[in-house]
Amino acid sequence: MKRRDFLLGTTAAAGALATPYIRSARAQARKDTLLTLSENGPNNLDIMGLGTNRPGYEASWNTHDRLVTFGAKKDANGVDHYDYKKIEPELAESWDVGDMSATFKLRKDATFHDGSPVTAKDVKWSFDRAVTVGGFPTFQMKAGSLEKPEQFVAVDDHTFRIDFVRKDRLTLPDIGVPVPIVINSELAKKHVTDKDPWAMEWLKNNEAGGGAYQIEKWTPGQELVFRRYDDWKSGPLPKIQRVIWRVVPSAGNRRALLERGDADISFNLPPKDVSELAEENKLTIIGTPVDNCIIYIDMNVKVPPFDNAKVRQAIAYAIPYQKIMNAAMFGRGVPMFGGPAAISSPAWPQPSPYTYDLAKAKQLLTEAGFPDGFETTLSFDLGVAVTNEPICVLVQESLAQIGIKITLNKIPGATWRAELAKKTFPMVVNIFGGWIIYPEYFFLWNYHGQNSLFNTMNYQNPVMDKLIEAARFETDQHKYRDEVEGFIDIAFKEIPRIPLYQPFIDVAMQKNITGYRYWFHRQLDYRQLIKT
């Protein structure tokens, strides 16, 4: 059978691949076109949009500039890794940080994809938008004390100033994360309405950026095609001219396309596949522990019986941690269980003291008033079902042994973030990775009483809030250590969230692909990639 015939036969089952426009990577220009595969794609091109998923971050990251970015370093395995300690120019070619303000000088030759110049007015409009639209982007900006439009000043066409509401070491790093993109404000304003003053609906399906890549075509749920923007000035011009990103839900088909050489890169193949491919050594496999990140089970403390700490502790002792690491993850992660009973380090993430102990779980459940257990649901994102589903099945089987009957609730990836934001699920399996590597940053997002999107526990504790807030601005290292250890200790004793493991980001690619860089947002940056 010829390769073409075989491809057509096998990909018909993949759904997303059974379309007329599919051509293999071999049919594309070899050095300047990249074919990438993923389990799901973006649901929104606007990083500030409601419910934008992580693939949406990738689309936005590659098509928009930010004022600053982060430098790079080599990790222990010699792989490029962003360096949060090095803040480098992107759209801003220089900046001056004063006592209560920072002034940025913009590149005078920077243009948006439609050829119009980038000005400080565009930066101000974009920052104003981020702190005003609410939800995730506004909370993210606030994490760096970027809170109100009055802080942002367009001094002249190429000078932009941020006035501080307080001194905050997270302010400058927060400008380099995916949210504060610079949008072509004049283009976006053409699509503003009274009901939609920030053009949210239009920007959901259209990009108005000036980044290294522009969008050539987007077929939601199937394919997104990027074309290099040759007039990009905010960094070295990428070697890859065109990126074709295809959604292939079947992990088996993604692996087959890679092994046949018909695709260049795939993210997040099943851990079993990654483990096998690494042994075969025919592809380049890079696995990086995700900084400031855990996979976890949340219990909604506003939904009985999870308002009872003993119920939460019982479940924490009934999780089959090692089975999850072996049978679901095949060792592709760092265990976050079985740690010391007392917290003695401000490091995060760190293992909780919980281990698999059904007898202790049953005892705590009885003490909580549920000797016969109860019924509930466990929700997960189908967009990453390849790991979520086996984890949930193992948890379901284990909790049944102490009388807790779990119904699995499978949520489509495109709607997962929006459903999560409602905070009505009793239990969820999810992931959070802090873009800025400080424990207090993770806890601000996940445990603080401000109750952000990612606090799906609905957990609020004034004592913990004070410790998190103190750590954010602490200058005394001894006090800082006590504050961080204090809020970690509360988190483990109250256990509204059960840490499972620190995940790897696994990337499988052809041997002729180099330049991969690990980023905190856990998505591909095409700008450094080279295909030979």
Side-chain angles (χ1 to χ4, degrees):
M1 181 181 284
K2 294 181 179 178
R3 176 184 300 277
R4 176 178 173 80
D5 295 330
F6 183 64
L7 265 178
L8 289 173
T10 55
T11 58
L17 281 178
T19 49
Y21 58 75
I22 292 299
R23 291 181 295 162
S24 73
R26 296 180 188 277
Q28 313 290 343
R30 289 190 60 83
K31 291 185 179 180
D32 56 18
T33 297
L34 195 76
L35 178 57
T36 75
L37 309 175
S38 67
E39 185 172 2
N40 63 333
N43 64 353
N44 194 327
L45 301 180
D46 181 7
I47 184 71
M48 301 182 199
L50 178 64
T52 302
N53 60 7
R54 277 206 300 116
Y57 300 172
E58 182 172 323
S60 176
W61 180 265
N62 285 283
T63 54
H64 294 78
D65 281 343
R66 286 142 294 277
L67 288 176
V68 299
T69 189
F70 295 89
K73 61 183 179 181
K74 297 292 185 183
D75 67 15
N77 297 314
V79 176
D80 262 12
H81 189 292
Y82 82 96
D83 188 346
Y84 75 97
K85 295 181 179 179
K86 294 180 183 176
I87 296 177
E88 297 185 349
E90 194 161 280
L91 183 59
E93 59 185 3
S94 65
W95 53 90
D96 178 44
V97 179
D99 189 47
M100 288 302 292
S101 68
T103 301
F104 299 83
K105 291 294 183 179
L106 308 185
R107 300 180 188 276
K108 293 182 178 180
D109 55 355
T111 59
F112 290 110
H113 295 154
D114 66 357
S116 60
V118 180
T119 71
K121 290 180 181 178
D122 296 299
V123 183
K124 175 171 171 53
W125 189 87
S126 303
F127 276 57
D128 287 356
R129 184 178 193 257
V131 300
T132 303
V133 295
F136 160 66
T138 298
F139 195 97
Q140 175 62 56
M141 297 292 280
K142 192 175 181 180
S145 294
L146 304 167
E147 299 179 5
K148 51 189 179 180
E150 292 77 18
Q151 289 181 256
F152 313 127
V153 181
V155 179
D156 58 41
D157 279 354
H158 297 101
T159 308
F160 175 71
R161 190 179 76 241
I162 297 175
D163 294 327
F164 303 152
V165 295
R166 66 185 67 86
K167 293 181 180 180
D168 187 341
R169 67 172 175 271
L170 299 185
T171 298
L172 200 55
D174 202 35
I175 296 167
V177 304
V179 166
I181 56 173
V182 177
I183 299 168
N184 184 336
S185 63
E186 292 306 311
L187 177 57
K189 281 191 263 188
K190 292 178 182 178
H191 304 279
V192 161
T193 66
D194 290 341
K195 292 183 178 180
D196 186 10
W198 297 107
M200 303 292 279
E201 281 302 312
W202 186 77
L203 285 169
K204 181 177 182 178
N205 299 299
N206 301 272
E207 62 96 349
Y213 287 89
Q214 54 192 317
I215 292 177
E216 185 175 290
K217 181 179 70 170
W218 181 35
T219 307
Q222 294 184 346
E223 179 181 81
L224 198 157
V225 180
F226 299 89
R227 185 175 74 255
R228 187 178 68 192
Y229 181 47
D230 288 343
D231 287 331
W232 187 58
K233 305 299 183 184
S234 295
L237 197 65
K239 301 294 185 184
I240 302 294
Q241 292 182 16
R242 201 160 177 260
V243 179
I244 302 170
W245 175 8
R246 294 201 178 122
V247 177
V248 183
S250 164
N253 281 330
R254 293 201 305 277
R255 176 173 176 173
L257 289 167
L258 277 172
E259 288 184 307
R260 292 196 296 268
D262 293 314
D264 294 308
I265 299 181
S266 184
F267 245 42
N268 287 340
L269 284 167
K272 182 176 185 292
D273 289 329
V274 173
S275 186
E276 291 171 355
L277 289 171
E279 286 184 16
E280 292 169 3
N281 199 32
K282 293 177 182 177
L283 297 165
T284 297
I285 306 296
I286 298 175
T288 308
V290 181
D291 294 327
N292 208 13
C293 181
I294 57 172
I295 304 289
Y296 53 81
I297 295 174
D298 269 359
M299 292 164 286
N300 191 335
V301 301
K302 301 293 186 186
V303 177
F306 301 110
D307 54 346
N308 187 320
K310 285 194 174 182
V311 168
R312 301 194 298 267
Q313 291 166 357
I315 291 175
Y317 280 113
I319 300 299
Y321 299 102
Q322 198 57 52
K323 271 190 179 179
I324 288 171
M325 292 305 301
N326 296 344
M329 298 310 302
F330 294 84
R332 306 297 298 180
V334 181
M336 285 293 128
F337 53 89
I343 306 301
S344 58
S345 166
W348 187 259
Q350 63 174 286
S352 83
Y354 294 89
T355 56
Y356 185 55
D357 188 337
L358 283 183
K360 194 162 188 175
K362 187 66 175 175
Q363 176 191 337
L364 285 163
L365 204 57
T366 300
E367 291 175 8
F370 296 91
D372 300 320
F374 54 88
E375 295 186 13
T376 189
T377 60
L378 176 59
S379 303
F380 68 91
D381 178 3
L382 271 175
V384 280
V386 69
T387 52
N388 278 350
E389 191 149 19
I391 289 171
C392 289
V393 169
L394 288 169
V395 170
Q396 181 186 46
E397 292 172 350
S398 184
L399 292 186
Q401 297 181 62
I402 59 170
I404 299 177
K405 184 180 178 181
I406 296 282
T407 299
L408 300 186
N409 185 26
K410 306 176 184 182
I411 308 297
T415 59
W416 171 250
R417 185 64 68 84
E419 291 298 316
L420 202 66
K422 296 175 183 177
K423 301 193 180 186
T424 55
F425 296 141
M427 296 177 71
V428 300
V429 169
N430 200 29
I431 180 174
F432 181 87
W435 285 343
I436 302 173
I437 309 178
Y438 293 101
E440 62 272 24
Y441 179 84
F442 185 102
F443 275 75
L444 178 70
W445 270 104
N446 291 269
Y447 289 86
H448 194 278
Q450 292 179 86
N451 217 11
S452 85
L453 165 67
F454 295 103
N455 185 354
T456 43
M457 311 162 286
N458 273 315
Y459 181 74
Q460 293 174 304
N461 183 328
V463 176
M464 179 181 279
D465 289 353
K466 287 181 181 179
L467 290 168
I468 294 169
E469 290 160 6
R472 283 187 64 199
F473 308 107
E474 187 61 74
T475 56
D476 184 308
Q477 287 302 305
H478 294 292
K479 289 182 180 178
Y480 175 79
R481 182 186 182 103
D482 289 343
E483 289 153 1
V484 173
E485 289 179 3
F487 60 65
I488 294 174
D489 183 58
I490 293 171
F492 286 165
K493 286 177 179 174
E494 293 280 309
I495 204 68
R497 167 169 297 175
I498 303 169
L500 300 178
Y501 59 91
Q502 180 183 13
F504 288 172
I505 280 294
D506 286 318
V507 185
M509 64 188 81
Q510 301 298 335
K511 294 279 190 179
N512 65 334
I513 306 296
T514 56
Y516 168 76
R517 181 173 297 174
Y518 164 78
W519 281 95
F520 47 79
H521 49 65
R522 312 193 301 279
Q523 298 295 131
L524 280 177
D525 186 334
Y526 316 133
R527 295 174 298 179
Q528 297 89 32
L529 294 173
I530 299 171
K531 184 177 180 181
T532 56

